[in-house]
Amino acid sequence: MDKRLIESDKFSSIIPEIDKKAAKEKGPGRPPYWEMIFWWTRKPLISARAFIAASLLPEDFSITEYRRIIRLNEDLPHKYQPITNNMFKNYVLLDPFAGFGSIPLEAKRLGLGKVIASELLPTAYVFLKAVLEYPRYGEKLLNNVKKYGNELIKSLEEGVKELYGDTTGFVGSWEIKCPRCGNYTPLVNQWWLLALKEGSSYEEGEEEGEEESEVKSGTFKRLVYMEPVKEGNRIRVKVVDLNKELDVKSVKAKKTKDKVEVNGKVYRVPQGNVNAKNSIARCLHCNNVFPGKGDSWYVREAIREWNRNYERFLNGEITLEELRNSRARPTLLVKFKGEGKNLQFEGITDEDIEAFWDEFNKLREIDITKIPIENIAIYSSRNTTVAWGMDRFYKLFNARQLIILTKIIEKINELRDKIEGDDRYKEAIITYLIITLLNHIRHNCMLTSVHHSRTFIAHALSFRRFAFTWNWVEISPLANIIGSLTKSLDHVIEGLEYLIQTNSNSQVEILQSDVNELKLDPVDVIVTDPPYADDVPYPEVSDFYYVWLKRVFPFPYNTQWEELVPKDIGVDEERNKVFGNGVGTYDYFRERLAQAFASLSELLKDNGVLVTFYNHTSPEAWTSLLYAGWYYSKFKISTTHAITTEDETRVTARGTISLDKSIVIVWRKRAEGVKHIQEVKKYAISTVSDWISVNIKSLSLDTYIEVLGKVLSEFTKYEKLIGLKGEGIKAVEDLVSNHVFPTVVQALIEGLSKGAGAKVENPYSVFYVLVKALIPPSKTVRKLDSNTLILLNVSGNISKEDLLQNKIIKAEKDTIYLMEPENANDINDKIRSFENFDYVKSAIAGNYNFSNPIQVLHYLEYVALKYPDKLKEEINKLREKTRFVVEALSIAKIFTKVLNEKDIEYEPSCKIVRGCEKGIEKWVS
């Protein structure tokens, strides 16, 4: 079977360059069409382009020519069409989990003869048509989207003016009736409105969950916060705008969460009076702390009462007065006008409050079927809104939002009859108009929040679930602000302009189908991004879009979750409570994934290539993947690559450095033969360690993935491995935990030993060396995640507690730190970093009570920095006191080969090696 370029070492050599361009694309260089609408875990286009092309080209294809084809020399390759000259016109590609369409879009741009994109969910199906199919209408479509989009905007002017006047929007929260004093108090988790630093972007351009660290000091474009002021039995919110108060365009300040210091003057920012995680809320009138905890917390019970009353009110069971007298109710804090960073905030008037409540009576006049009355998936373990009584989609919106959104839906439906062209062309234009609305909806509901240091509005889908929020933002559809209908239309037009430029001669077919129900002729290549177990519960969260989409397109399902969750390949144990049959369990996920891989085997030509992106490093996820691909479907892994596909600032990656890049896996049909597991393990360690020893100078996080791929390619060559314990999933669990991961670590450490000429065997030394070698130095010490502890475990039986007890790591709450000296620049600070270790202090005092080689190394490094002339003497003394000296010296020798020169342990390791080179050669060889 002819190998492809993607399976060659020369392709591996340019992965860092592809990765660099991919990382840039996920950050400031985002494709414009991404701003049309939000979708989770979108893959960079350069990654899709690079791997598709490499999976079709022969192994001996010129890398120089390949780089030219995919435009890798460009700063942002996705801006340019590939240069292919119809070289891929005879190939057919399938992406059965197409999502937002990065992979099929790039297959289309590469000019493949046919591109098939399939998705289970109606919402994704609509978006795929917008990305892949409709742009073929070209400039005519673009001009008509502009025309009818502007007509839509124009038709709303009177209704919007009636609802919003000249106000751009409002910041609101929830207020609770205090059980002690009887007054309503707003609950606000943070009082900041804007803390926009010079140089930071105010525009859209972030993935879900993106969040920057708290700014400490600098020059700020805007500094604005709120202050609660008691006026009788009500709380008025005062706006403090430091730009106005100081009469400056920008403010040089030192800022913390609760204060701002400007030229020696301190401005106190109120602290939030609610913390839902700890069930703490305080009345701003009488300082009463509301009673109860958890599900019985007074605040939670009160907001649930509001949501019950909201439903009763719309059903005509209670009056508006009774609704307003609920123990909890939404309230307005401030209003704002203007645009961008120039928003001007004002206090709320009595007229604003009365107008807000008047809309509830008007809402009751609307046909109830026009608002999204569908049930939210009440079982989802990631949905925090249901616990607050928000069990139907309309409860995520206040009355004014629902009135204007239903009016926009009505106007879009009316426009359909005005559009000239056939039904498909009309559908195309309506699709972009509804996408415009959906983008507005995610910025205009009661799940938004104040994003004070960047875009002002954090949209409703910022996290991978529906999350209850306190400070929500409501905006006028026609405002000139990120998230408004007008701005969203601009984004759609810009995105469509981009997509029109991606047109090619490819035939594109978009299917709404379960992967196991696809009926197709075998294809040349399958490139896809399969589900990652418990990553994103797509049917449930994309229902946020679907319940509005179905009011324009006649989809047959009430909700996606009710109909399609049993077909979804995902993990959420709570699903089983509703659907039974194990739906949502890991076992169910594995079987569904296995069936999917078996279907893909049937859909792939015998000499074809299956390429999967896999953004998960937990042992459970790897077990599921290997069970599905190798054990069940008889694929073998040809190679793997590591690539950036997710934003480093996303929630799932924040705060740690881990081995959590997407892993691109190349699969082939089919695994054959029988081999004893120990033979495979021995051969893998030997061959892979030789490769590492040659590449010892260029180790990184990606090296682990490369080594993992090389090891997996050896283990999955064979249909059956003798010596595995158990059958089915048990056998695969044994393979992953007791053979694959330990083999990777042993190959890495043996490769380091061969390359450096020094051997390391102690399991704590192995772990420490690999973390230092693979993860780049930080400003302080390296942070890890729990998966890294497992993946770098050489023996498979070192627990987190062992590593803690032996002072290899330390843990604070959810963060794990490597017990290394803290990085410093000054020599005295470096020495103090080593002196901070208790065992170094003890050794300085003459007590050599070391429990592992790492502690000996740290002491010797301290000596090398402070008393280099006494180093040999101290080593000889230590050899009589502890058995760990030889291994400590071996680690030092390895560190001279693999550590970044900025690492605090690089310099003392070099001193140790140079200072006693002959002794080291004698002892560690």
Side-chain angles (χ1 to χ4, degrees):
M1 186 177 292
D2 294 337
K3 289 181 69 174
R4 307 285 173 86
L5 181 62
I6 196 173
E7 298 167 305
S8 69
D9 286 338
K10 63 181 179 180
F11 178 74
S12 298
S13 70
I14 66 167
I15 287 292
E17 190 174 353
I18 297 170
D19 189 58
K20 184 178 179 181
K21 301 294 173 70
K24 193 167 186 178
E25 187 179 326
K26 287 295 286 190
R30 295 155 60 87
Y33 82 96
W34 281 14
E35 311 310 328
M36 290 166 51
I37 190 70
F38 173 79
W39 195 257
W40 301 262
T41 66
R42 292 175 286 198
K43 299 294 170 275
L45 300 184
I46 182 56
S47 301
R49 180 184 299 184
F51 286 106
I52 293 168
S55 67
L56 296 172
L57 294 168
E59 179 186 20
D60 60 357
F61 194 83
S62 165
I63 280 289
T64 302
E65 178 62 10
Y66 169 77
R67 290 165 54 86
R68 187 184 75 87
I69 289 171
I70 66 170
R71 309 298 289 263
L72 194 58
N73 292 327
E74 304 291 350
D75 184 48
L76 281 172
H78 78 76
K79 287 186 173 182
Y80 305 90
Q81 286 289 89
I83 304 170
T84 62
N85 297 319
N86 293 320
M87 65 191 305
F88 300 124
K89 66 179 181 180
N90 295 322
Y91 294 102
V92 178
L93 174 140
L94 167 66
D95 182 355
F97 302 103
F100 200 66
S102 292
I103 291 168
L105 178 63
E106 286 305 310
K108 171 185 167 183
R109 296 176 83 173
L110 285 163
L112 274 72
K114 187 173 184 180
V115 178
I116 306 169
S118 179
E119 254 296 342
L120 174 66
L121 301 177
T123 302
Y125 174 74
V126 170
F127 294 166
L128 284 172
K129 281 180 167 287
V131 171
L132 300 172
E133 180 182 319
Y134 298 144
R136 67 186 174 87
Y137 289 114
E139 292 295 323
K140 177 186 175 184
L141 173 68
L142 179 63
N143 291 333
N144 275 328
V145 170
K146 290 179 183 177
K147 173 186 173 182
Y148 292 107
N150 288 327
E151 191 171 325
L152 172 65
I153 298 293
K154 188 74 175 172
S155 71
L156 294 168
E157 287 179 354
E158 186 176 332
V160 169
K161 187 174 183 179
E162 183 181 331
L163 289 169
Y164 291 92
D166 62 350
T167 301
T168 298
F170 302 88
V171 175
S173 189
W174 292 88
E175 61 180 2
I176 308 295
K177 191 172 187 177
C178 176
R180 175 186 287 176
C181 69
N183 294 316
Y184 282 97
T185 182
L187 298 185
V188 178
N189 63 332
Q190 59 93 10
W191 294 86
W192 277 104
L193 291 170
L194 285 177
L196 189 64
K197 195 178 180 187
E198 291 280 5
S200 64
S201 170
Y202 195 80
E203 294 301 308
E204 187 85 63
E206 71 229 61
E207 285 296 280
E208 23 96 25
E210 186 174 307
E211 184 177 281
E212 64 295 304
S213 59
E214 182 72 23
V215 179
K216 298 298 182 183
S217 62
T219 302
F220 294 83
K221 300 175 191 175
R222 296 297 307 281
L223 283 172
V224 188
Y225 60 90
M226 300 178 286
E227 278 186 351
V229 179
K230 280 194 284 187
E231 287 187 353
N233 64 350
R234 60 174 288 184
I235 298 292
R236 180 176 64 85
V237 176
K238 173 187 173 185
V239 175
V240 180
D241 187 331
L242 291 185
N243 298 78
K244 281 186 177 180
E245 189 163 318
L246 300 171
D247 193 25
V248 292
K249 288 187 176 180
S250 59
V251 183
K252 288 186 178 180
K254 181 180 180 182
K255 171 191 169 293
T256 64
K257 189 176 182 179
D258 59 355
K259 69 179 179 180
V260 182
E261 185 176 336
V262 184
N263 296 327
K265 183 176 181 180
V266 175
Y267 297 85
R268 293 288 175 181
V269 181
Q271 293 189 21
N273 65 326
V274 62
N275 184 320
K277 185 177 181 180
N278 298 319
S279 299
I280 295 173
R282 179 175 56 84
C283 176
L284 293 176
H285 292 276
C286 66
N287 281 324
N288 174 43
V289 176
F290 297 147
K293 291 288 182 183
D295 205 46
S296 299
W297 185 29
Y298 176 84
V299 173
R300 193 184 297 274
E301 289 179 340
I303 294 176
R304 283 201 296 256
E305 176 187 287
W306 158 266
N307 281 295
R308 286 193 302 270
N309 286 345
Y310 193 5
E311 186 165 340
R312 293 176 64 205
F313 171 74
L314 289 183
N315 288 335
E317 298 171 17
I318 61 174
T319 65
L320 179 61
E321 185 68 20
E322 289 172 306
L323 178 65
R324 287 187 71 168
N325 286 331
S326 302
R327 287 184 296 166
R329 61 192 186 191
T331 191
L332 302 177
L333 300 175
V334 297
K335 59 185 175 183
F336 53 91
K337 299 176 183 179
E339 57 188 73
K341 70 180 187 301
N342 297 314
L343 292 178
Q344 302 300 315
F345 295 88
E346 303 174 14
I348 293 297
T349 65
D350 290 341
E351 290 77 11
D352 294 322
I353 293 293
E354 290 310 310
F356 177 78
W357 286 106
D358 283 347
E359 301 310 324
F360 282 88
N361 269 335
K362 294 178 184 177
L363 177 63
R364 198 152 62 172
E365 298 170 6
I366 293 176
D367 180 356
I368 194 71
T369 62
K370 291 186 177 181
I371 68 173
I373 58 175
E374 291 81 3
N375 288 325
I376 295 174
I378 60 173
Y379 58 82
S380 179
S381 60
R382 303 197 203 180
N383 177 9
T384 66
T385 63
V386 172
W388 300 88
M390 293 175 161
D391 54 356
R392 294 178 182 266
F393 279 97
Y394 73 83
K395 295 180 183 180
L396 307 181
F397 304 86
N398 65 42
R400 180 161 48 205
Q401 290 168 330
L402 287 172
I403 288 170
I404 194 61
L405 295 177
T406 54
K407 189 179 290 292
I408 297 171
I409 288 284
E410 184 179 306
K411 296 291 185 183
I412 290 174
N413 282 323
E414 289 174 1
L415 280 172
R416 190 191 306 266
D417 295 332
K418 296 183 179 181
I419 299 170
E420 296 180 2
D422 61 24
D423 288 344
R424 178 167 289 189
Y425 185 69
K426 290 182 177 183
E427 184 180 83
I429 293 172
I430 294 298
T431 295
Y432 294 109
L433 296 184
I434 190 66
I435 285 175
T436 299
L437 173 60
L438 294 178
N439 192 59
H440 173 55
I441 289 173
R442 73 182 174 102
H443 288 92
N444 192 26
C445 69
M446 293 171 67
L447 299 189
T448 55
S449 55
V450 174
H451 197 343
H452 63 273
S453 55
R454 192 169 298 174
T455 57
F456 181 55
I457 304 175
H459 64 85
L461 303 178
S462 293
F463 297 91
R464 301 182 180 202
R465 65 190 190 280
F466 301 141
F468 180 85
T469 58
W470 297 102
N471 300 25
W472 42 267
V473 185
E474 177 187 354
I475 57 176
S476 163
L478 304 189
N480 189 14
I481 185 174
I482 290 296
S484 70
L485 195 70
T486 50
K487 274 286 190 180
S488 296
L489 179 61
D490 290 342
H491 285 319
V492 164
I493 290 169
E494 290 166 11
L496 186 52
E497 287 174 339
Y498 179 91
L499 291 170
I500 287 171
Q501 297 170 23
T502 69
N503 284 334
S504 71
N505 293 324
S506 295
Q507 178 188 349
V508 176
E509 184 175 1
I510 302 169
L511 304 171
Q512 186 196 331
S513 175
D514 177 3
V515 62
N516 293 310
E517 296 171 0
L518 285 171
K519 304 296 181 185
L520 302 167
D521 292 331
V523 301
D524 299 286
V525 61
I526 299 173
V527 183
T528 195
D529 182 20
Y532 307 144
D534 57 352
D535 188 48
V536 179
Y538 283 99
E540 294 93 338
V541 295
S542 66
D543 263 343
F544 182 85
Y545 295 139
Y546 176 78
V547 294
W548 294 100
L549 266 178
K550 63 178 284 195
R551 284 165 169 78
V552 175
F553 298 124
F555 288 116
Y557 313 137
N558 185 49
T559 61
Q560 295 174 133
W561 73 264
E562 289 170 293
E563 185 72 25
L564 298 173
V565 158
K567 293 184 177 183
D568 182 60
I569 304 174
V571 173
D572 187 336
E573 298 281 348
E574 296 297 311
R575 287 176 170 178
N576 193 41
K577 295 178 181 178
V578 174
F579 296 98
N581 299 318
V583 171
T585 63
Y586 241 111
D587 286 342
Y588 190 83
F589 164 73
R590 290 188 186 110
E591 291 306 316
R592 291 285 301 164
L593 190 63
Q595 291 163 17
F597 267 80
S599 295
L600 297 183
S601 180
E602 293 294 322
L603 294 168
L604 184 66
K605 290 180 179 178
D606 286 343
N607 64 342
V609 174
L610 167 62
V611 180
T612 58
F613 290 81
Y614 206 63
N615 182 236
H616 215 308
T617 52
S618 75
E620 292 87 354
W622 271 103
T623 298
S624 299
L625 185 67
L626 286 177
Y627 172 74
W630 170 67
Y631 190 92
Y632 190 94
S633 304
K634 310 305 179 188
F635 279 103
K636 59 185 176 184
I637 292 176
S638 171
T639 190
T640 64
H641 305 284
I643 199 75
T644 296
T645 59
E646 312 303 321
D647 194 314
E648 292 178 356
T649 57
R650 69 197 187 282
V651 171
T652 52
R654 192 181 304 143
T656 64
I657 299 174
S658 71
L659 303 174
D660 197 14
K661 281 191 173 184
S662 272
I663 302 173
V664 180
I665 307 167
V666 182
W667 305 80
R668 288 280 203 162
K669 298 162 66 171
R670 98 183 196 86
E672 295 178 318
V674 178
K675 200 80 168 179
H676 197 283
I677 190 78
Q678 294 303 331
E679 288 184 63
V680 180
K681 190 173 184 177
K682 184 177 179 181
Y683 180 77
I685 291 172
S686 175
T687 56
V688 177
S689 62
D690 286 343
W691 177 83
I692 295 165
S693 67
V694 174
N695 295 280
I696 193 171
K697 298 287 187 183
S698 57
L699 299 185
S700 68
L701 286 168
D702 295 353
T703 306
Y704 184 96
I705 307 303
E706 279 196 77
V707 172
L708 177 61
K710 292 177 184 298
V711 168
L712 284 171
S713 68
E714 293 300 328
F715 281 111
T716 61
K717 279 181 183 176
Y718 307 98
E719 182 178 355
K720 185 174 178 62
L721 292 172
I722 300 171
L724 286 181
K725 296 176 182 176
E727 297 290 335
I729 196 66
K730 293 294 182 184
V732 181
E733 287 173 348
D734 182 48
L735 173 65
V736 170
S737 299
N738 299 322
H739 299 285
V740 171
F741 291 158
T743 298
V744 170
V745 174
Q746 288 169 29
L748 279 164
I749 206 67
E750 286 200 20
L752 290 175
S753 298
K754 290 177 184 178
K759 194 165 188 177
V760 175
E761 295 179 312
N762 182 285
Y764 305 111
S765 302
V766 169
F767 181 85
Y768 189 85
V769 166
L770 290 180
V771 173
K772 294 280 287 188
L774 297 175
I775 298 178
S778 70
K779 292 180 180 178
T780 53
V781 298
R782 290 163 172 86
K783 298 177 186 177
L784 313 171
D785 66 0
S786 57
N787 284 335
T788 306
L789 300 185
I790 297 169
L791 301 180
L792 297 183
N793 190 338
V794 66
S795 64
N797 59 13
I798 303 177
S799 66
K800 179 180 176 181
E801 288 68 30
D802 289 332
L803 292 168
L804 287 166
Q805 187 175 348
N806 281 272
K807 298 184 178 180
I808 304 301
I809 61 170
K810 66 177 180 178
E812 294 178 4
K813 295 184 178 179
D814 297 328
T815 306
I816 300 167
Y817 302 89
L818 187 69
M819 285 283 281
E820 61 180 329
E822 190 168 317
N823 253 336
N825 294 319
D826 180 78
I827 183 64
N828 292 319
D829 290 337
K830 290 181 180 180
I831 291 170
R832 277 191 288 272
S833 290
F834 287 98
E835 288 175 336
N836 287 333
F837 293 122
D838 291 340
Y839 47 82
V840 172
K841 290 178 184 174
S842 295
I844 293 170
N847 300 317
Y848 301 101
N849 297 317
F850 301 111
S851 62
N852 60 64
I854 304 304
Q855 297 179 358
V856 175
L857 174 67
H858 287 161
Y859 175 62
L860 290 178
E861 289 172 327
Y862 158 77
V863 174
L865 289 175
K866 189 162 186 177
Y867 308 108
D869 55 326
K870 295 183 179 180
L871 187 58
K872 288 185 180 179
E873 176 187 338
E874 200 63 28
I875 289 173
N876 288 325
K877 186 191 299 183
L878 279 175
R879 291 191 69 213
E880 298 177 1
K881 302 287 186 179
T882 176
R883 69 183 190 278
F884 298 131
V885 173
V886 172
E887 184 140 330
L889 297 176
S890 295
I891 297 169
K893 191 168 184 182
I894 291 173
F895 278 179
T896 65
K897 302 286 186 182
V898 302
L899 285 190
N900 185 298
E901 291 183 8
K902 295 180 180 179
D903 192 290
I904 189 173
E905 293 191 74
Y906 175 76
E907 180 188 351
S909 291
C910 290
K911 288 178 181 290
I912 291 170
V913 172
R914 285 198 301 266
C916 49
E917 194 164 349
K918 290 183 180 178
I920 282 186
E921 293 300 324
K922 178 176 65 178
W923 293 326
V924 307
S925 296

